[in-house]
Amino acid sequence: LSPKLVARAGYGIFYDGMAFGAGSGSTTANYPFVIVVSTSASDPAHPLVAPNGSIGSLENGLSGFTVDPLAVNGIGVTLQAYEYNHSDPMVQNWNFSLQGQLTPNQSIQVAYVGNVGGHLFTNVSPGANMPYEILPPSTNILNYIQWPSFTEGSTYAATIGNSYYNSLQATFQRRFSDGLDLLADYTYSKCRTDVRDNILNDIGSYRAPLLPGFGIQGDYALCDFDVPNIVHVSGIYMLPFGNGRRFLRDAHGLTNGLIAGWHTNAILALQDGQPFTIGCPSGTTTGLGCDALLASGQDVYAGPHNANQWLNPAAFANPTAATTIGQASYAPLGGAPTQAHAPGFHRLDLSLFKEIPTSERTHLEFRAEIFNLTNHPNFALPNSQTNFLNTKTFTASTATIDAPYDSREFQMALKFYW
């Protein structure tokens, strides 16, 4: 656009192939091809006993366990299924940025980056063999699922997920000059999806994936990795002391050896927390899930808002239970998931190092490094304490994100380069 202003843009469509990413294995892992038989010792003093009554000693091994499918009762087994006619997952990415030169060594960039995903692999678990209608509590679910001989809520993987991500990204960069190198960036973003992460799912399972008019789209929520605000700052600074530098520029000998050659670098990370879901303490249906409602006039983050109680228990309410089989109102399923974000991540790492020349080709380097300089605890998601009726422990965090490396650490090192 001008000698000091550049515009960039890009767009792409990306496809994924068929993989086992949406499930825990192939359909050959189902009964009767794979049979899992387990047993355990009755107490520490006695060995394992096989189903046929034989002792599972070293001599007998697993001879007491049968591998004949006809000898296994298939009633109640859990099945795993894949969509018969799947679609290739697709993601469309785009970006637009403006980058301007402030000085010969400094620039600033502002960008919009986004994407949208379709036909994403979705592990609908529980998914298959669930009720197709609202059932009041205590209803016999076996009368309202498609295959009552198999486990309710078997896994079903399908390419039916969707997502979107939009972000504003700003970056300031100073190339190394006058002893200073600096990189600072800020990202404001939002991500929503109806896909659940197979490994790190903190936003809850699907409530009613087979319910007409609800499906997995009824659980469209913030992504597991949705972090609205992210600030990162990193840099290196050569301290201006010693011969030829700004301060004590005429120093020589021992004095110059002590004060010259010092550098410091730092990394600062400030991030919002990830989203999580508050469920219903009391069940409202049979076979379907429930998420808590947000109470009118209450601030979700009111109260102590610390590791002992991150959220306000008065901000959540349990929906009323279903009263009629097949009722038209889906109110018993509650409100939308991901009602709040967990504690954020704040960390400052700092180091000080000095180069000591020993010859034209060799030198020593002394380093002093401090990780988590402020000793700030970064508390993890309070997933195990989400019962808002228990106000004493509600959303209390019992762990930290980066344990065991969360406390302040100080280390020194001496390196010899040749």
Side-chain angles (χ1 to χ4, degrees):
L1 302 180
S2 74
K4 295 185 178 181
L5 183 64
V6 176
R8 299 182 178 90
Y11 173 81
I13 302 178
F14 303 87
Y15 295 91
D16 191 14
M18 179 63 178
F20 293 140
S24 56
S26 68
T27 52
T28 56
N30 284 324
Y31 171 87
F33 307 107
V34 172
I35 300 169
V36 178
V37 179
S38 61
T39 186
S40 59
S42 57
D43 57 69
H46 295 81
L48 300 180
V49 178
N52 67 355
S54 65
I55 301 298
S57 62
L58 291 175
E59 294 82 3
N60 296 332
L62 301 178
S63 60
F65 292 88
T66 179
V67 294
D68 182 4
L70 298 179
V72 177
N73 183 4
I75 299 297
V77 299
T78 298
L79 297 182
Q80 178 174 280
Y82 283 82
E83 184 180 27
Y84 188 77
N85 293 311
H86 77 280
S87 301
D88 289 332
M90 179 188 71
V91 175
Q92 300 178 67
N93 286 339
W94 55 79
N95 66 80
F96 174 77
S97 66
L98 292 172
Q99 184 180 36
Q101 178 182 325
L102 304 178
T103 70
N105 297 310
Q106 297 181 138
S107 66
I108 188 170
Q109 177 174 290
V110 178
Y112 163 62
V113 179
N115 66 58
V116 61
H119 303 298
L120 303 180
F121 270 117
T122 307
N123 190 6
V124 187
S125 180
N129 216 26
M130 290 185 69
Y132 287 79
E133 55 188 333
I134 298 288
L135 302 176
S138 302
T139 304
N140 185 356
I141 195 173
L142 295 181
N143 296 328
Y144 298 93
I145 57 177
Q146 192 168 3
W147 299 287
S149 295
F150 296 112
T151 300
E152 171 212 346
S154 297
T155 297
Y156 175 63
T159 53
I160 56 177
N162 296 279
S163 71
Y164 77 78
Y165 170 83
N166 292 296
S167 68
L168 173 67
Q169 303 178 9
T171 304
F172 171 80
Q173 183 174 12
R174 175 191 172 96
R175 294 181 179 177
F176 190 81
S177 61
D178 297 326
L180 175 64
D181 177 273
L182 183 65
L183 177 65
D185 62 71
Y186 168 70
T187 300
Y188 174 73
S189 65
K190 189 169 188 177
C191 176
R192 291 180 63 83
T193 184
D194 51 20
V195 177
R196 298 297 183 262
D197 192 300
N198 272 344
I199 300 174
L200 302 174
N201 178 20
D202 297 312
I203 59 178
S205 60
Y206 297 110
R207 288 174 286 174
L210 303 183
L211 194 62
F214 196 87
I216 70 168
Q217 293 76 22
D219 287 309
Y220 205 82
L222 296 173
C223 304
D224 282 271
F225 51 86
D226 178 80
V227 179
N229 294 280
I230 299 175
V231 175
H232 289 162
V233 181
S234 62
I236 301 175
Y237 183 54
M238 181 184 295
L239 301 184
F241 302 103
N243 188 274
R245 305 290 294 165
R246 182 180 301 176
F247 302 104
L248 302 175
R249 59 184 308 120
D250 296 324
H252 292 86
L254 180 60
T255 301
N256 187 66
L258 292 174
I259 64 174
W262 288 96
H263 301 71
T264 183
N265 62 27
I267 302 175
L268 173 67
L270 303 173
Q271 301 180 186
D272 287 339
Q274 295 172 254
F276 66 109
T277 298
I278 302 298
C280 299
S282 302
T284 58
T285 64
T286 292
L288 302 180
C290 175
D291 292 334
L293 296 169
L294 292 176
S296 177
Q298 292 285 341
D299 181 1
V300 171
Y301 299 103
H305 195 49
N306 55 29
N308 296 321
Q309 189 176 89
W310 184 247
L311 301 180
N312 174 19
F316 301 92
N318 205 93
T320 57
T323 58
T324 307
I325 294 175
Q327 68 180 55
S329 173
Y330 292 171
L333 300 179
T338 60
Q339 303 99 324
H341 279 79
F345 181 85
H346 306 141
R347 187 181 179 99
L348 174 62
D349 299 332
L350 181 70
S351 70
L352 184 68
F353 55 100
K354 175 180 172 59
E355 293 183 357
I356 307 171
T358 54
S359 71
E360 291 185 358
R361 294 187 176 183
T362 63
H363 70 274
L364 285 171
E365 182 185 77
F366 168 76
R367 300 182 68 93
E369 299 170 316
I370 306 176
F371 301 95
N372 194 5
L373 175 65
T374 61
N375 204 29
H376 179 82
N378 293 295
F379 293 104
L381 288 161
N383 276 348
S384 62
Q385 307 290 343
T386 56
N387 183 352
F388 55 83
L389 299 180
N390 189 345
T391 57
K392 292 184 178 180
T393 61
F394 178 60
T395 58
S397 185
T398 58
T400 52
I401 296 174
D402 47 356
Y405 308 109
D406 49 345
S407 59
R408 182 192 296 122
E409 293 185 51
F410 180 81
Q411 68 181 28
M412 293 184 293
L414 187 65
K415 296 182 179 181
F416 179 64
Y417 291 86
W418 74 92

